[in-house]
């Protein structure tokens, strides 16, 4: 089966306070950068073998639902692409 | 007849919980999570600590370990289950209770004494209190901010699931008395049954008279019921 890399991006739902992002924003401002807002997200890259990209995405989505994201506070996105040669 | 205090890699309040329960003449023992719940389990404490280093999210890993299936089954059968601090995070992550405990508004670890208002006095955990009583209990957490959607929060309120709220010494629910930015000052909630409760503050740390207050005693006596 071909090798794929599925990417799961987990971020806080809009409206959920992100104190770490706020602290990071303040640190950037202290360094003299100008910015309006900053959001952070967790990105998981999962190498797996699958029949096609759709199957790879489906499996990564199950992983997001079971463990990687907490539906109470998170939204997530999944995508999959053929794995890079060196992977 | 024993209360199982479930120990995960990184739990660190398990011994305190056993000592506090034994002081109250409640039989208790530490149970390594891989060993499963003993056959004579009459109650379960999911203790505080930093199970699995808080990797991913506090409580996320422990919540998905096989023993939590047993804990959920026991809870559904009416066995008293109390989750404290990391145990509260695990409780929410495992679906024993609604909502989530996440990063403090301050983005810092906070270790201090707080006041709690008893919101229900008709549960095993609060039957020695009156509704509205103010008790003093310590917190020690970096991820204790109770978070839940507005809709689910309304359901919790409608179903009388809020057990404790952070308050000032007079019982007022102020922002200043809310140590971590929890939604509507929520500090502890009930599961589907009154016999299941989770809270961020540590009752086992204020049970032995030698180490300070004793307001935690009347919570832990819920295991006698």
């Amino acid at each position: 089966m071909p090798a794929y890399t599925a990417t799961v991006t987990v971020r806080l739902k809009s409206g959920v306070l992100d104190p770490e992002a706020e602290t990071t924003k303040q640190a950037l401002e202290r360094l003299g950068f100008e910015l309006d807002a900053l959001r952070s997200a967790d990105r998981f890259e999962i190498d797996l073998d699958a029949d096609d990209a759709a199957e790879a995405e489906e499996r990564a989505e199950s992983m997001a639902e079971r463990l990687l994201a907490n539906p109470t506070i998170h939204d997530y996105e999944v995508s999959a692409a053929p794995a890079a040669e060196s992977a | 007849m024993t209360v199982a205090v479930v120990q995960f890699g990184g739990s660190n309040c398990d011994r305190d919980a056993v000592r506090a329960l034994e002081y109250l003449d409640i039989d208790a023992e530490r149970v390594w999570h891989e060993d499963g719940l003993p056959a004579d389990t009459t109650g379960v404490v999911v203790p505080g600590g930093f199970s699995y280093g808080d990797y991913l999210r506090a409580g996320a890993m422990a919540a998905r370990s096989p023993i939590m299936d047993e804990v959920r089954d026991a809870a559904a059968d009416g066995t008293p289950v109390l989750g404290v601090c990391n145990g509260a995070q695990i409780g929410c992550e495992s679906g024993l209770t609604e909502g989530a405990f996440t990063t403090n508004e301050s983005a810092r670890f906070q270790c201090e004494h707080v006041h709690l208002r008893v919101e229900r006095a008709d549960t095993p955990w609060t039957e020695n209190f009156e509704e509205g009583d103010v008790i003093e209990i310590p917190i020690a957490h970096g991820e204790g901010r109770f978070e839940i959607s507005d809709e689910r929060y309304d359901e919790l309120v409608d179903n009388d699931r809020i057990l404790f709220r952070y308050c000032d010494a007079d019982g007022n629910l102020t922002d200043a008395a809310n140590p971590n930015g929890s939604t509507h000052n929520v500090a502890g909630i009930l599961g589907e049954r009154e016999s299941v409760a989770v809270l961020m503050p540590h009752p086992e740390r204020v049970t032995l008279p030698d180490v300070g207050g004793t307001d935690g005693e009347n919570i832990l006596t819920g295991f006698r019921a």
Side-chain angles (χ1 to χ4, degrees):
Chain A
M1 277 194 289
Y4 287 90
T5 298
T7 302
V8 179
T9 307
V10 178
R11 53 170 59 89
L12 287 170
K13 285 183 172 170
S14 113
V16 175
L17 188 71
D18 188 347
E20 289 177 4
E22 184 57 31
T23 304
T24 308
K25 174 176 178 274
Q26 288 168 10
L28 286 170
E29 286 168 342
R30 274 199 301 277
L31 291 170
F33 293 102
E34 286 181 24
L35 65 163
D36 293 331
L38 180 150
R39 288 171 292 282
S40 63
D42 288 326
R43 171 181 158 127
F44 302 89
E45 296 177 358
I46 302 156
D47 294 337
L48 44 81
D49 292 327
D51 288 332
D52 51 35
E55 191 211 321
E57 275 185 31
E58 202 176 303
R59 281 166 57 194
E61 182 158 347
S62 302
M63 296 178 200
E65 285 194 4
R66 287 282 300 282
L67 176 66
L68 300 178
N70 178 338
T72 301
I73 52 174
H74 291 138
D75 288 326
Y76 65 86
E77 290 160 20
V78 179
S79 63
E85 283 286 314
S86 58
Chain B
M1 286 287 288
T2 192
V3 174
V5 179
V6 180
Q7 188 193 15
F8 295 101
S11 299
N12 67 8
C13 300
D14 41 300
R15 283 186 175 85
D16 294 13
V18 169
R19 275 199 71 181
L21 288 166
E22 286 180 342
Y23 168 76
L24 299 171
D25 289 324
I26 298 167
D27 189 44
E29 64 174 292
R30 286 191 294 150
V31 173
W32 178 241
H33 71 100
E34 287 181 343
D35 296 337
L37 292 180
D40 62 347
T41 297
T42 53
V44 177
V45 173
V46 187
F50 300 87
S51 56
Y52 306 101
D54 281 350
Y55 290 171
L56 195 62
R57 300 176 299 276
M61 301 294 176
R64 287 155 182 84
S65 63
I67 198 171
M68 289 309 294
D69 291 332
E70 295 180 49
V71 173
R72 272 191 295 265
D73 288 347
D77 289 342
T79 302
V81 176
L82 183 68
V84 172
C85 196
N86 190 220
Q89 296 160 338
I90 293 168
C92 285
E93 280 277 345
S94 67
L96 276 172
T97 46
E98 292 275 340
F101 291 103
T102 188
T103 313
N104 291 349
E105 190 173 21
S106 64
R108 292 188 179 143
F109 189 90
Q110 288 174 247
C111 190
E112 59 202 65
H113 275 252
V114 298
H115 292 100
L116 302 182
R117 193 173 80 183
V118 177
E119 300 294 291
R120 279 191 61 173
D122 58 342
T123 78
W125 316 107
T126 50
E127 61 186 8
N128 294 319
F129 299 118
E130 302 288 331
E131 195 178 310
D133 274 358
V134 176
I135 60 177
E136 190 181 330
I137 293 202
I139 56 166
H141 60 243
E143 296 177 48
R145 174 170 57 97
F146 186 68
E147 188 65 62
I148 194 167
S149 69
D150 292 344
E151 193 178 87
R152 288 286 177 90
Y153 173 77
D154 290 344
E155 282 173 23
L156 282 185
V157 171
D158 289 347
N159 297 326
D160 255 347
R161 297 291 101 184
I162 315 287
L163 188 58
F164 298 109
R165 292 184 201 264
Y166 299 109
C167 65
D168 67 17
D170 299 319
N172 301 305
L173 305 178
T174 63
D175 287 344
N178 186 353
N180 51 27
S182 287
T183 301
H184 297 284
N185 291 45
V186 171
I189 55 173
L190 294 165
E192 209 163 299
R193 306 176 73 129
E194 277 73 17
S195 49
V196 176
V198 302
L199 73 163
M200 287 309 298
H202 286 271
E204 80 283 5
R205 293 189 187 181
V206 277
T207 294
L208 304 176
D210 292 346
V211 292
T214 56
D215 280 348
E217 170 177 335
N218 283 327
I219 296 174
L220 298 182
T221 51
F223 284 110
R224 280 193 193 138

